[in-house]
Amino acid sequence: MTDCPTVDELLMAHAVGRLPEPLALVVGTHLALCPRARSRYSRFLALGGLLLERAEPAPLAADAFARLLERLDQEEQPAPACQRPVAWACAAPGLPRPLRDYLPGPLEAQRWRCYGSAAELELRLPTPGYRTTLVRVRAGRQVPRHTHEGHELTLVLAGGFSDKTGHYRRGDLAIADGTIDHRPTADADEDCLCLAVTDAPLRLTGMLGRLLNPFLRL
Ligand code: ZN
């Protein structure tokens, strides 16, 4: 397993178009929800544009940079993270793009897999090697304790959660790997909704988690 990337490293990779689609979806949605991330991303874009111009001073590179900056200025519509076309009439007004473009309709109308106090909805992205899900956890409840065989990116879309690494609210992006064994707990006052991407299975580390193995068999 490679080193766990930082949020800045993900932003830089996104700025130069190097992220696979599931990670681009997470980072693009993070940008839509987090003004601080947008500010840092704009700097990385500028740096990437300069590098592109040095390497290949073609009109296409300059035009692409200008278009990206223009999109950054639009609230809730950062740089285009998704290569997949919008296939459905969007009906999830509480969620920003690019995530909204991946949903077939209202969240409540989807076929969620329920596991006690948690539920998940898998988003079928074509990129092999990744699993992309929306995860809901009821207020004050926990997901099974686990660690990770690869990387886990968790973006809070509503509510919040806490684990040993901190407290995460709407727009925050948590990154975990095999060095982290945790049991995220949703905030007590609101159900937590997250977008999660993993590139390898989770590994359960608690007795309750083993009982709920199907929920975390990624
Ligand atoms: Zn985890």
Side-chain angles (χ1 to χ4, degrees):
M1 182 173 62
T2 58
D3 290 341
C4 195
T6 65
V7 173
D8 271 354
E9 287 171 339
L10 289 170
L11 291 173
M12 283 188 273
H14 191 52
V16 294
R18 297 294 300 273
L19 287 180
E21 187 176 2
L23 301 187
L25 170 61
V26 172
V27 174
T29 307
H30 175 51
L31 287 167
L33 295 174
C34 179
R36 180 176 180 276
R38 284 199 295 275
S39 174
R40 297 187 67 76
Y41 181 68
S42 66
R43 297 177 193 174
F44 297 142
L45 271 182
L47 176 62
L50 287 175
L51 293 174
L52 278 175
E53 287 181 355
R54 285 186 180 182
E56 187 181 357
L60 176 62
D63 177 61
F65 181 47
R67 284 189 284 109
L68 285 171
L69 284 180
E70 183 178 342
R71 292 190 184 219
L72 261 186
D73 290 334
Q74 300 174 17
E75 185 72 13
E76 298 290 89
Q77 294 188 29
C82 306
Q83 299 158 5
R84 177 178 174 175
V86 178
W88 308 284
C90 177
L95 299 176
R97 283 178 171 165
L99 174 61
R100 207 165 60 196
D101 296 339
Y102 283 77
L103 299 174
L107 291 180
E108 298 302 335
Q110 307 308 308
R111 296 173 64 89
W112 291 75
R113 296 175 65 188
C114 297
Y115 306 93
S117 58
E120 69 167 3
L121 172 66
E122 184 168 1
L123 306 180
R124 303 288 182 177
L125 275 67
T127 311
Y130 293 89
R131 191 166 190 268
T132 306
T133 56
L134 289 175
V135 179
R136 270 177 162 169
V137 182
R138 292 198 183 283
R141 306 303 293 269
Q142 296 177 310
V143 300
R145 182 177 169 185
H146 63 275
T147 185
H148 321 82
E149 294 184 7
H151 302 107
E152 176 190 70
L153 272 60
T154 305
L155 174 65
V156 180
L157 302 168
F161 76 86
S162 298
D163 65 8
K164 63 172 62 173
T165 68
H167 181 219
Y168 302 88
R169 302 182 182 85
R170 176 176 162 87
D172 291 340
L173 178 59
I175 303 173
D177 62 10
T179 66
I180 295 176
D181 184 317
H182 64 165
R183 190 174 188 186
T185 304
D187 288 359
D189 59 345
E190 185 179 359
D191 290 351
C192 182
L193 174 66
C194 294
L195 171 64
V197 172
T198 54
D199 59 7
L202 304 184
R203 185 157 53 85
L204 303 174
T205 52
M207 183 175 295
L208 180 60
R210 283 191 288 275
L211 291 174
L212 298 176
N213 189 54
F215 170 54
L216 290 169
R217 184 178 295 157
L218 302 182

